[in-house]
Amino acid sequence: MMKLRRGDIMLIGIVLLCAIIFIIIKAFPNEVSDESHSKIAKITVDGKIFRTVELTAEPQEIKVETEDGHYNLLKVHDHGIEMIDADCPDKVCLTFGFITNPSQTIVCLPHRVLVEIENNNPMDQGDDIDAVVK
């Protein structure tokens, strides 16, 4: 029968200690502060800024009316924004869905409406992954 030496016991103890620390770190979810959700949506019509909206959890609706009388209806909720209605003929802008990440956009070409999400937190600029290709 093989006998464990002092060095073997110390190595097993170090490995167990590292495993316990790893499990504790993974067991507790990261606290998400309000600052990490500090994002804004910049709404432009025909290249001019229409409005800048902070993306909060509270729902709010924003009606964007163009100079020729057409409209787009946006809804802010759950720290994101989506286009929920528009009177454009093709309704492609409604297919962009709910966007939450910086650099995502919603575009309505017939009305020349562009919605871009920008990160308002100066500590979190450009560290996100742009895309994943499989």
Side-chain angles (χ1 to χ4, degrees), residues 103-121:
S103 77
Q104 288 184 310
T105 58
I106 298 172
V107 180
C108 180
L109 286 178
H111 297 164
R112 299 181 180 187
V113 174
L114 173 66
V115 181
E116 295 175 290
I117 294 182
E118 295 179 349
N119 201 341
N120 204 19
N121 186 355

